[in-house]
Amino acid sequence: MQIQCTWTRPQLRVKPSTFLTLSKQIRRRIGCPSKTRGLIPIAAAMSTSTTTPDNQVASNKDGSTHNPNPPLQIAKRLEKFKTTIFTQMSNLAVKHGAINLGQGFPNFDGPDFVKEAAIQAVKDGKNQYARGYGVPDLNSAIAERFKKDTGLVVDPEKEITVTSGCTEAIAATILGLINPGDEVILFAPFYDSYEATLSMAGAKVKGITLCPPDFALPIEELKSAISKNTRAILLNTPHNPTGKMFTREELNTIASLCIENDVLVFSDEVYDKLAFEMDHISIASLPGMYERTVTMNSLGKTFSLTGWKIGWAIAPPHLAWGVRQAHAFLTFATSTPMQWAAAAALRAPDSYYEELRRDYNAKKAILVEGLKAVGFKVYPSSGTYFVVVDHTPFGVANNDIEFCEYLIKEVGVVAIPTSVFYLNPEEGKNLVRFTFCKDEATLRAAVERMKEKLFRRK
């Protein structure tokens, strides 16, 4: 049974300079057997105390009254979710001058030919609302790329919906196709927006944990988890945060169970071009799966343009309808000039993707070898630009959040605690995630800091 913990607002008000107090507030969350995920919002936790208590009403000159510190308000379906871990860790990185190997955004720019295409689109006057489900040229480019990657031929007008990043594709898919009470299966650890969006849809979340060292799919557990109320499985391959790539055997098992039980698959494949040790397989390409799959992807990871927020969902017409209806009332349309540039990007020659993998392989080697030399237990990563490690050899923290605090404050490097990616945070308390989507100099500098200041327990 999961129990929700809550904190009252006065407990969150600490001075910005009091890092240790913040640490205690954050650690309190780990000590609670709760499904509450994420840390206490940094913005709230770090807010400066005022002289007027929350329960004291101030008077204006005209005699009217107001409360200078009204209580924070949020819908019940979202009240357990805090400020995202990525925002919190990035804020702490700035505060302490730490090297940020936490949040997965590159510190280098995307290719010139794509940026120039965006500039040209702006100059050509392509600056008004785009068609709701995508600029025709981009829809066609997505269909061309999908055929090249999977062999599947899709109708760009009926089966492709352009969204504001893959996160919106996920939201539109869930909100457009999931009803309150539907069961959706997640593989933990998972990208944190999944659970929050499912909560907004009123879904019942079932978690299946992928365990180190290889994070293999527990097939019997999956079979047991599927019920008559299971509507969908939310799949992510290559997998954030572990770097796992689901094997053909695992995908075939998922596919057969979905066909047998009439279950949909929502497949997040944003890291499909960052597959290092095996070929990426889209589950939609397996026999009998296209008609029950929504495949979601984006431009940002492949072209180092995460701020553009260009994503898409590919689905057969009977599923695309729900996705498009939700998308129409979420964002309606996505940035017009960036869509034109995205079409140019997706038509890049194969040599671009080959060079991308070579470059990231080199970065990965620097980080993985460095982390091993420092003393971490490093788990294999076959895809994405993430590596998960076990922090316990150092003995400086009781859990992942304490360790990441220590790493930022005492070492000057940022990692992401993985416990926020689990329904049961205890399952991730020994693991932290590093990213290697940084230039080589930054990676080497971070490794050197850790070599100088982190020491294994004797």
Side-chain angles (χ1 to χ4, degrees):
M1 182 177 70
Q2 294 175 319
I3 303 170
Q4 182 175 333
C5 288
T6 58
W7 291 265
T8 59
R9 189 168 183 270
Q11 290 175 300
L12 302 180
R13 287 166 44 213
V14 296
K15 295 180 180 179
S17 60
T18 313
F19 187 87
L20 290 177
T21 304
L22 171 62
S23 301
K24 292 176 183 176
Q25 294 281 2
I26 293 174
R27 285 194 291 272
R28 187 176 301 162
R29 170 239 181 242
I30 282 294
C32 174
S34 166
K35 66 179 180 180
T36 303
R37 295 175 56 244
L39 307 183
I40 296 169
I42 294 297
M46 303 282 291
S47 62
T48 304
S49 300
T50 62
T51 56
T52 305
D54 285 351
N55 61 354
Q56 181 176 325
V57 177
S59 297
N60 293 326
K61 291 181 179 179
D62 61 3
S64 62
T65 61
H66 73 280
N67 186 343
N69 285 308
L72 300 176
Q73 298 185 35
I74 189 168
K76 290 186 182 299
R77 63 183 175 272
L78 288 176
E79 64 185 359
K80 73 171 184 173
F81 299 101
K82 309 302 179 183
T83 304
T84 71
I85 192 65
F86 309 108
T87 298
Q88 294 174 52
M89 292 295 115
S90 292
N91 286 346
L92 288 176
V94 173
K95 177 180 176 64
H96 293 278
I99 298 173
N100 194 345
L101 301 189
Q103 192 169 359
F105 60 86
N107 68 342
F108 46 86
D109 218 351
D112 288 341
F113 79 93
V114 184
K115 293 183 290 184
E116 288 164 4
I119 293 168
Q120 191 60 51
V122 172
K123 289 181 176 179
D124 289 344
K126 295 170 180 175
N127 300 305
Q128 306 310 319
Y129 289 131
R131 187 178 63 172
Y133 57 90
V135 166
D137 193 45
L138 176 55
N139 289 56
S140 296
I142 293 168
E144 293 162 13
R145 187 74 245 176
F146 196 58
K147 180 182 178 182
K148 201 166 192 175
D149 291 341
T150 67
L152 294 171
V153 176
V154 299
D155 185 338
E157 293 299 299
K158 296 179 180 179
E159 299 177 271
I160 293 173
T161 305
V162 175
T163 59
S164 297
C166 190
T167 298
E168 198 225 329
I170 294 164
T173 297
I174 290 172
L175 294 173
L177 295 173
I178 296 298
N179 289 309
D182 284 348
E183 291 179 357
V184 178
I185 294 173
L186 299 181
F187 298 114
F190 46 77
Y191 176 47
D192 61 350
S193 85
Y194 296 167
E195 190 191 1
T197 308
L198 287 167
S199 178
M200 286 189 270
K204 179 181 178 182
V205 178
K206 282 188 172 181
I208 293 177
T209 301
L210 308 176
C211 299
D214 57 358
F215 301 97
L217 175 67
I219 293 172
E220 293 306 315
E221 188 177 346
L222 175 60
K223 289 179 180 178
S224 299
I226 295 176
S227 75
K228 61 182 178 59
N229 296 318
T230 303
R231 171 67 167 163
I233 294 173
L234 210 170
L235 175 69
N236 176 211
T237 183
H239 182 256
N240 173 18
T242 67
K244 170 192 170 56
M245 293 184 65
F246 283 76
T247 65
R248 183 173 292 276
E249 181 183 8
E250 290 174 327
L251 294 174
N252 279 330
T253 298
I254 294 171
S256 64
L257 289 170
C258 288
I259 293 169
E260 179 184 343
N261 295 279
D262 193 22
V263 172
L264 302 178
V265 172
F266 304 153
S267 187
D268 176 354
E269 302 180 11
V270 294
Y271 299 101
D272 64 332
K273 297 298 182 289
L274 297 176
F276 305 115
E277 295 170 18
M278 64 180 74
D279 291 334
H280 168 73
I281 302 168
S282 288
I283 195 168
S285 68
L286 300 183
M289 285 306 294
Y290 180 71
E291 61 262 31
R292 62 179 62 255
T293 301
V294 180
T295 304
M296 302 167 289
N297 211 321
S298 75
L299 189 79
K301 307 298 190 293
T302 304
F303 290 91
S304 303
L305 297 165
T306 58
W308 285 22
K309 298 297 288 180
I310 302 294
W312 55 87
I314 303 173
H318 67 283
L319 298 180
W321 173 247
V323 176
R324 288 186 175 187
Q325 287 297 95
H327 165 68
F329 297 104
L330 286 170
T331 61
F332 172 66
T334 297
S335 172
T336 303
M338 300 312 182
Q339 288 194 56
W340 285 96
L346 291 177
R347 293 189 175 108
D350 289 344
S351 58
Y352 172 81
Y353 300 101
E354 292 164 3
E355 183 178 349
L356 179 76
R357 280 190 291 272
R358 281 196 302 270
D359 183 50
Y360 269 113
N361 250 327
K363 297 178 189 298
K364 177 185 172 183
I366 292 169
L367 182 60
V368 169
E369 291 168 13
L371 291 172
K372 288 179 178 177
V374 170
F376 287 101
K377 182 177 182 180
V378 182
Y379 293 112
S381 173
S382 300
T384 75
Y385 42 52
F386 301 118
V387 174
V388 167
V389 304
D390 187 329
H391 68 80
T392 58
F394 300 99
V396 298
N398 294 317
N399 56 62
D400 57 327
I401 294 178
E402 285 186 10
F403 180 81
C404 287
E405 291 175 1
Y406 178 90
L407 196 66
I408 292 171
K409 185 180 179 184
E410 303 297 335
V411 182
V413 175
V414 182
I416 294 292
T418 68
S419 60
V420 298
F421 303 139
Y422 291 82
L423 293 175
N424 176 9
E426 284 292 305
E427 294 179 336
K429 69 178 183 179
N430 293 338
L431 306 177
V432 299
R433 188 196 79 178
F434 290 94
T435 184
F436 51 90
C437 60
K438 310 296 177 182
D439 61 68
E440 294 187 8
T442 298
L443 295 171
R444 294 184 193 280
V447 168
E448 286 306 309
R449 285 190 182 187
M450 288 187 281
K451 284 181 178 178
E452 291 174 4
K453 299 180 179 181
L454 262 184
F455 303 98
R456 286 180 68 109
R457 182 173 45 195
K458 297 296 185 181

